[in-house]
Amino acid sequence: MNNISSSLMDMRVITACIYICLILLCMRSSSSSVMFARGQDVGSDGGGRRQLVPAMFVFGDSLIDNGNNNNLPSLAKANYFPYGIDFAGGPTGRFSNGYTIVDGIANLLGLPLTPAYSEAVGSQVFHGVNYASAAAGILDVTGGNFVGRIPFNQQIRNFESTLSQIGMELGATEAVANSIKQSIIFIGFGSNDYLNNYMMPNYNTKNQYNAEQFADLLMQQYTRQLTRLYSLGARKFAVAGVGAIACVPSILAQSAYSKCSVDVDNLIAPFNRKVKAMISNLNENLPGAKFIYLDVYRMFVDILANPTQYGFSVIDRGCCGIGRNRGQISCLPLQAPCARRDQYVFWDAFHPTEAVNILLARNCFSGNTNVAFPMNIQQLANVEV
C-alpha cells in the first residue's frame, strides 16, 4: 500500500507541474467552448422521452462533474481538449470524451442535461442542477493535493442556495416542495476519499484508521449529509457505490503485470458494503424516503471480465494519457487521444469513456436488484412519495 501511495503522489506532483504550464495556455479558448456547450446541454430535450421526474440534482466528484471546477483555483480540471472531443460543443469540464453517467441518466429520465451549479441561471435550475466537483469527497479535507474543490458539505449548501433561488422565482409554494420530493437526487462519492486522502502519503489517515475504521468514519459523515438533504425536502435518492478503482490505468501502471490491485480492492470493499447497509437503515428510519444503492463496482467488474460482450477490446490502458498503461500521467491539454474511443473502457488514468458511462447509466436506470437495490432509477422515478 505504501508503494501505491508514493507512486500516486509522484504521479500527481509531475502532473500538476505540467498542468500549471499547459492549462494556462488553453484556458482562454476553453472558456468560450464551455459557454457554448453548456447552452446546448440545457437545450437538450432528453432524447424526446417522456419526462419521468420534475428534476435531477447531482452531487459527487470528477466522475460526474460537468464544469464546477472550471473557474476554481484547482488542478482538477477538464475544460480543455481532448476532454469533450465527442461532446457537442467540445470541452465543458466533464472528465470524459463525452457523456458522464448522469448525462445518460438524465436522457433516460427525459430531462435536459443538468447544468453545472457554477453556470446555471434563471429557469435552467428548474430541471435540476449538478453540484459535483472533481477531487471532492465526503470528508472536507479530501482532495487537498488539487487545491480547489467543492466537498460534499459545500455542495449541500449550494443546493440550499438553489432552493432559495427556486423559491424566489416561483414562490415558496406547496407545489415547489412537492416537485423537490419527486425529483431524483443522484449522489456519487467515496473514490477521492481513498485515492486522494487515505492512499496519499502526505495524509496521515492510513496511520489513524484501518480499512474498517475509515469506512465507519465515512459512513458517520455520509449519513449526516444524506439526512441533511432529506431535511431540505429531498425524498428520492440514488446513491452510487465506489467503482473498480483498483483497476484504473493509474493503479495498473504500478503493477509489473498491469494487474488490478488486490490491496485497493480490499480497502474499498468495506465502504461499499457499509453504504448498502446505510441505505437500508435510512429507508427504515426516514419516513417517506426512498434510497437506492447503485452497485457501480459490480457493473464495472462485469465489463472488465467480459469486455467483448459489451463491445470493448481495450481494458488495460487509457485512451488518453502518458506512460505505462497511459496512466502514469493523465490526459494533457491538446494531447491526441486514441482513435477508436468506443473500444476503450478507460478514457484517462482514472475515468471511463462515454461508452462505459452510457452502459452504466442504462444499468442504473433499468437493471435488476443485483446492480440497483432495492429498485432501479426508473422504478424510483415512478414511486409516489
Side-chain angles (χ1 to χ4, degrees), residues 181-199:
K181 282 171 52 177
Q182 299 300 332
S183 297
I184 297 292
I185 309 297
F186 187 98
I187 300 160
F189 278 104
S191 296
N192 285 312
D193 292 292
Y194 288 94
L195 287 170
N196 291 304
N197 183 334
Y198 195 92
M199 294 167 62

Side-chain angles (χ1 to χ4, degrees), residues 33-44 87-88 92 115 119 124:
S33 297
V34 170
M35 294 178 65
F36 176 66
R38 187 66 57 236
Q40 287 195 345
D41 288 359
V42 175
S44 170
F87 190 87
T92 61
E119 299 174 11
Q124 290 177 349

Side-chain angles (χ1 to χ4, degrees), residues 50-54 108-111 182 236 365 378 381-382:
R50 181 175 67 88
Q51 186 174 314
L52 299 182
V53 292
L108 292 166
L109 288 169
L111 294 171
Q182 299 300 332
K236 296 184 178 184
F365 185 77
Q378 184 176 29
N382 289 316

Side-chain angles (χ1 to χ4, degrees), residues 83-104:
Y83 286 99
I85 188 173
D86 298 310
F87 190 87
T92 61
R94 288 168 168 81
F95 286 75
S96 171
N97 57 306
Y99 267 24
T100 66
I101 183 174
V102 292
D103 292 328

Side-chain angles (χ1 to χ4, degrees), residues 331-351:
C331 192
L332 294 174
L334 305 180
Q335 183 181 350
C338 65
R340 302 188 65 188
R341 294 178 285 280
D342 60 340
Q343 294 291 307
Y344 280 68
V345 169
F346 295 103
W347 161 248
D348 62 12
F350 296 97
H351 306 96

Side-chain angles (χ1 to χ4, degrees), residues 13-30:
V13 169
I14 294 169
T15 303
C17 293
I18 297 173
Y19 273 20
I20 289 171
C21 296
L22 294 180
I23 290 178
L24 292 174
L25 295 175
C26 300
M27 196 62 88
R28 182 170 297 178
S29 60
S30 294

